[in-house]
Amino acid sequence: MEAPPASERSQQWESRPQCRGTSGGLTGPCGLLLPSFPKSACTTSASSGEMGSSLTQEILSHLGLADKTAAWGTLGTLRTFLSFSVDKDVQRLLRAITGHGVDQGAIVQVLTNRSREQRQLISQAFRERTQQDLLKSLQAALSGSLERIVVALLQPAAQTDAQELRTALKASGSAEDVAMEILTTRAPPQLQECLAAYKHSFQVEAEEDIKSETSSILRDLLLALAKGGRESYSGIIDYNLAEQDVQALQQVERPRPEGPWVRIFTQRSPQHLLRASVVRNTPLYFADKLHRALQQGTEPNYQDLMRILVSRSEIDLLSIRAEFRKKFGKSLYSALQGAVKGDCGQALLALCRAEDL
């Protein structure tokens, strides 16, 4: 693939240091301070004293920091391309798919160096100039993993989330992972757009699929999250309420639908949950998921890599990179270089953006 122009290469950003809370108490996989519920408690009762990774801890690791960038500024690797010319990009993409052979490198270079808003402008201009749909034109020219990442880059984020959520709910064993990732890490406006896209695309409410495809505590939690009832932050922390929530959670022996934990975890604002010391490090959660996706036997889990890198590229991928290097002793960029291949691999590396020294 040809090297990007200097103006594109110059848009590399380094990670900023992250804020960290104090630790203490019983910690979960992402520094969570909580009683540890046995995973079997999701469907059956568990003997007292049984500890380990829990559904509750996994849920908490997803929660809370969806709107962190509003206070910290943009922590994504991909920002608005300053030398953006929609006409030049349309012409370049048109040449890439109509010349002698498909220029996959040019397609990757354009789409991974433009913000989502700029990519939507390119799609609109392409239709106006050619009377053709850019996404369909690229799908006809591409295949495999590269086609899937181009779809994720070009279609609205809500549509991608809706499709991922549907697949997760219909595929055995994946609802607990991907569905919770989407329902807990998207800011309220994003979640509402996702659920609206879900209904439009599949002619059914996401809640109905959750009811039919999941059960027990997991179902109750996903249903509560899908209602989008999380409180907005008013700018004032109610410390008395935070203390009451901490005490209520400490008294929980195992998660029950009628208990307080579902209400607290799905309705309290991110800032409140942070003050109650029950959620902590969303970037570390995604770093762990990326590491697992890269350790999938002979070939990495491209679907997970694509979903996370595309969805977080304009939100907090710099923070995720920092957490990845801190925990695993190597940069995310290096880990990707050693695992991904082809033009899809180049697209993933472009979204990751740079080496962390």
Side-chain angles (χ1 to χ4, degrees):
M1 185 172 66
E2 62 178 301
S7 57
E8 294 186 10
R9 295 198 306 271
S10 66
Q11 296 200 49
Q12 312 277 330
W13 299 277
E14 295 305 319
S15 178
R16 306 180 194 174
Q18 294 193 81
C19 297
R20 293 202 172 276
T22 58
S23 61
L26 182 62
T27 58
C30 292
L32 311 174
L33 293 134
L34 255 205
S36 176
F37 303 123
K39 191 156 188 170
S40 57
C42 299
T43 54
T44 62
S45 62
S47 60
S48 62
E50 182 181 3
M51 307 295 284
S53 298
S54 70
L55 174 61
T56 303
Q57 289 175 328
E58 182 71 7
I59 292 159
L60 288 177
S61 68
H62 301 35
L63 287 174
L65 305 183
D67 62 351
K68 178 177 63 176
T69 55
W72 287 10
T74 300
L75 294 173
T77 56
L78 186 58
R79 299 185 182 182
T80 300
F81 183 56
L82 299 180
S83 302
F84 178 58
S85 169
V86 67
D87 290 329
K88 290 181 179 179
D89 285 345
V90 167
Q91 290 300 320
R92 191 173 183 189
L93 290 172
L94 193 58
R95 289 195 301 271
I97 59 179
T98 58
H100 296 292
V102 178
D103 188 347
Q104 296 179 341
I107 295 169
V108 168
Q109 191 176 59
V110 171
L111 297 183
T112 59
N113 282 284
R114 307 295 183 266
S115 68
R116 185 173 291 276
E117 181 180 359
Q118 289 176 325
R119 295 194 296 267
Q120 293 301 307
L121 292 174
I122 293 170
S123 294
Q124 180 181 344
F126 190 93
R127 179 182 291 276
E128 292 173 352
R129 288 159 177 71
T130 68
Q131 307 305 309
Q132 299 176 34
D133 183 88
L134 175 59
L135 179 56
K136 291 181 179 178
S137 297
L138 289 173
Q139 284 182 291
L142 304 172
S143 62
S145 296
L146 181 57
E147 178 188 353
R148 293 199 299 273
I149 197 170
V150 164
V151 170
L153 287 165
L154 276 178
Q155 70 182 4
Q159 183 63 36
T160 300
D161 281 346
Q163 291 172 351
E164 290 278 350
L165 180 58
R166 172 79 169 188
T167 300
L169 291 173
K170 294 297 182 179
S172 175
S174 64
E176 182 179 325
D177 184 20
V178 178
M180 285 199 301
E181 174 193 318
I182 292 171
L183 292 177
T184 57
T185 64
R186 300 322 188 238
Q190 294 174 318
L191 180 57
Q192 292 306 313
E193 291 175 2
C194 166
L195 296 175
Y198 193 103
K199 182 178 181 180
H200 177 77
S201 297
F202 308 115
Q203 302 302 304
V204 64
E205 298 280 0
E207 291 183 32
E208 295 303 314
D209 278 345
I210 291 172
K211 289 177 183 178
S212 64
E213 301 296 335
T214 62
S215 62
S216 191
I217 296 296
L218 176 61
R219 178 190 60 203
D220 295 326
L221 182 69
L222 292 179
L223 285 173
L225 289 168
K227 292 183 184 300
R230 192 175 301 284
E231 299 167 352
S232 299
Y233 180 49
S234 64
I236 300 174
I237 297 293
D238 187 336
Y239 288 93
N240 289 330
L241 181 59
E243 180 61 27
Q244 292 173 18
D245 286 347
V246 169
Q247 293 177 1
L249 291 172
Q250 288 175 341
Q251 294 171 6
V252 176
E253 295 181 359
R254 62 175 179 267
R256 298 176 182 274
E258 68 273 13
W261 71 287
V262 170
R263 171 177 50 81
I264 292 171
F265 297 156
T266 63
Q267 294 184 13
R268 298 291 190 255
S269 72
Q271 293 78 9
H272 177 93
L273 292 171
L274 284 167
R275 293 298 182 183
S277 297
V278 295
V279 297
R280 197 134 301 143
N281 199 334
T282 297
L284 178 57
Y285 158 72
F286 280 114
D288 281 331
K289 291 199 73 171
L290 287 168
H291 186 260
R292 289 197 299 271
L294 289 166
Q295 305 299 314
Q296 297 288 314
T298 58
E299 185 173 85
N301 186 329
Y302 279 96
Q303 192 64 29
D304 282 357
L305 293 175
M306 286 186 286
R307 183 183 67 255
I308 295 171
L309 291 176
V310 171
S311 67
R312 310 310 293 188
S313 62
E314 295 183 56
I315 300 175
D316 59 357
L317 189 49
L318 286 173
S319 296
I320 294 168
R321 276 171 33 184
E323 292 294 345
F324 191 99
R325 182 171 183 80
K326 186 181 303 180
K327 181 167 183 178
F328 302 110
K330 66 185 302 185
S331 71
L332 175 59
Y333 194 89
S334 293
L336 286 168
Q337 276 186 316
V340 298
K341 301 175 181 178
D343 286 300
C344 178
Q346 292 302 311
L348 295 173
L349 287 167
L351 291 173
C352 182
R353 218 60 179 175
E355 181 70 84
D356 294 302
L357 303 177

